[in-house]
Amino acid sequence: MAAPLAEPAFRHSYTPKTGILLINLGTPDAPTAKALRPYLKQFLSDQRVIEIPKALWWLILNGIILNLRPRKSAEKYASIWSSEGSPLLVHTRKQSQLLAEQLAAAGLENLVVDFAMRYGNPSVDSVLRGMREQGVERLLVVPLYPQYAGSSVATALDEVFRSLLRMRNMPEIRTVRHFHDFPPYIEALARQVETHWQANGRGDKLLMSFHGVPRFTLDKGDPYHCECLKTGRLLAERLQLSKEQYVVAFQSRFGKAEWLKPYTVDTLTALAKAGTQKLDVMCPGFVGDCLETLEEIAMEGKEIFLTNGGGEYRYISCLNEDPNWLNALTALVQQHLGGWITTPDDPVLRFQRAQDSGANG
């Protein structure tokens, strides 16, 4: 282990704070092949993401993928890039800002709310160091993945703990494992669908597309598949949909191995050929629109459906900055902050009293 890095100078005359760190997947710095290459290398070098023998995968990644995929991926990113930048970065930043405002409005004090990306920028390490410099001594980590998977939540936490390993003065830490069945989250999804229905009418079927993972992860004990199905079931029950009125599928398959089924691509083809006239499509596993939702589902998915004879294809946007989702996120954070909220005997107030008494660092 590397030697601990220098810490901010200790002072009695400061107020310890509680940090809330939102973590999302990540994004390249620009929609260019040059920016995609380091981003993809970091992402695809993660052994929680690619569970192939390291030496073999190194040859495939560096000899083939990183020479071919950056240009193709850059074209996809360019198709959804906004004037503010990457949609995922934009939405995650806004969610962080709005969460801070809502927590402040709820009367919670001495909080530092920030966000980081597991891959790309802002990095987890840089944001954590910034939080420590602001006096964060308690840290709540919230990976923005509703359903737990080793390749998403676990690797985000890995990166947090890697950073903490190099801190001499480590903060007290809590983590959120998942919120796939958290009632306010389910309610926010339902309101999103209902708002769409009010504006466009109800479709013949609702397709819930979740990000896919290799099938063997389920066999090895990863709960992701089950948690996706539970989210789908709870949302369908809240919307009063019968089993025939909705379907859960999995997107973003990569490589030749079997992934979780049914595949979204195959499902779209089958629904189109079955004569579905109005298809509503949403991605409940993403709390912010990104490449996988805007390009893969809203664009490519629509093309697949229409090409195979389908009728009207209606993409329902992710939760993004929807007030119902921000209320759910605020409730989730407050639940996990239990016991850390300032009380008369809290260390925060003890430090303040010491400061008022004339203690100096």
Side-chain angles (χ1 to χ4, degrees):
M1 187 182 83
L5 299 179
E7 290 285 334
F10 180 78
R11 307 182 312 278
H12 285 293
S13 58
Y14 85 105
T15 300
K17 297 182 176 62
T18 295
I20 299 162
L21 177 62
L22 306 182
I23 302 180
N24 220 320
L25 177 72
T27 178
D29 293 332
T32 64
K34 182 179 180 180
L36 258 297
R37 197 174 195 280
Y39 170 74
L40 289 174
K41 184 170 185 177
Q42 183 187 18
F43 176 40
L44 297 177
S45 294
D46 189 335
Q47 289 190 289
R48 283 198 187 267
V49 174
I50 305 294
E51 296 186 51
I52 293 175
K54 192 172 183 179
L56 174 61
W57 179 244
W58 189 93
L59 292 173
I60 296 172
L61 177 62
N62 291 277
I64 301 173
I65 294 175
L66 292 180
N67 290 318
L68 298 176
R69 191 165 175 180
R71 181 182 59 79
K72 295 179 181 179
S73 294
E75 293 173 356
K76 292 175 183 273
Y77 272 102
S79 70
I80 56 105
W81 211 262
S82 74
S83 58
E84 297 178 86
S86 164
L88 184 65
L89 181 66
V90 171
H91 290 306
T92 306
R93 179 187 293 117
K94 289 181 179 179
Q95 289 173 5
S96 173
Q97 294 168 345
L98 292 170
L99 173 64
E101 292 174 7
Q102 294 209 175
L103 291 171
L108 277 69
E109 300 179 345
N110 299 317
L111 297 180
V112 175
V113 182
D114 212 334
F115 75 97
M117 296 295 176
R118 171 60 185 90
Y119 313 103
N121 296 307
S123 71
V124 170
D125 186 68
S126 66
V127 174
L128 282 178
R129 295 199 178 283
M131 295 177 93
R132 283 291 296 121
E133 289 173 0
Q134 295 179 70
V136 167
E137 293 198 354
R138 291 169 168 171
L139 177 66
L140 174 63
V141 182
V142 188
L144 291 175
Y145 308 102
Q147 298 76 28
Y148 176 92
S151 56
S152 58
V153 175
T155 189
L157 298 181
D158 285 346
E159 194 68 7
V160 170
F161 295 131
R162 259 191 294 270
S163 181
L164 295 182
L165 275 171
R166 301 191 66 198
M167 289 188 183
R168 182 181 301 278
N169 187 8
M170 294 173 64
E172 185 177 358
I173 186 168
R174 292 178 181 174
T175 63
V176 175
R177 171 182 167 84
H178 53 191
F179 51 95
H180 66 291
D181 57 358
F182 187 52
Y185 157 70
I186 298 297
E187 181 64 22
L189 291 174
R191 295 285 188 89
Q192 192 83 346
V193 175
E194 289 173 339
T195 298
H196 167 80
W197 283 347
Q198 290 169 3
N200 304 284
R202 186 183 293 238
D204 300 327
K205 193 177 286 282
L206 175 64
L207 169 61
M208 305 179 199
S209 182
F210 292 85
H211 198 285
V213 296
R215 174 66 173 75
F216 69 77
T217 61
L218 174 61
D219 300 330
K220 291 186 176 183
D222 198 306
Y224 179 73
H225 180 255
C226 300
E227 295 192 359
C228 290
L229 293 183
K230 186 174 185 181
T231 297
R233 175 177 60 80
L234 292 175
L235 178 56
E237 290 173 356
R238 165 60 180 78
L239 294 171
Q240 299 184 324
L241 296 176
S242 68
K243 292 183 179 179
E244 293 71 32
Q245 291 176 307
Y246 79 97
V247 60
V248 170
F250 298 90
Q251 65 188 78
S252 307
R253 182 186 177 195
F254 176 76
K256 296 182 179 180
E258 179 182 1
W259 282 40
L260 296 180
K261 292 182 178 179
Y263 300 141
T264 296
V265 170
D266 294 347
T267 300
L268 288 171
T269 301
L271 289 173
K273 291 183 176 179
T276 304
Q277 293 303 303
K278 290 184 179 181
L279 179 64
D280 294 324
V281 184
M282 68 183 307
C283 299
F286 300 86
V287 299
D289 273 309
C290 56
L291 184 73
E292 287 82 358
T293 65
L294 296 174
E295 197 278 334
E296 184 178 355
I297 296 302
M299 296 180 187
E300 290 185 11
K302 180 177 182 179
E303 183 178 356
I304 292 168
F305 185 69
L306 298 181
T307 299
N308 285 279
E312 190 177 349
Y313 184 95
R314 297 108 61 89
Y315 172 67
I316 302 173
S317 66
C318 290
L319 295 169
N320 297 329
E321 292 77 60
D322 179 78
N324 296 302
W325 160 237
L326 267 300
N327 290 338
L329 181 58
T330 302
L332 180 71
V333 167
Q334 287 182 294
Q335 181 184 87
H336 285 269
L337 285 176
W340 278 3
I341 298 175
T342 301
T343 65
D345 294 323
D346 193 272
V348 169
L349 291 188
R350 289 204 298 272
F351 267 81
Q352 290 175 337
R353 287 197 292 269
Q355 181 180 352
D356 293 342
S357 298
N360 295 308

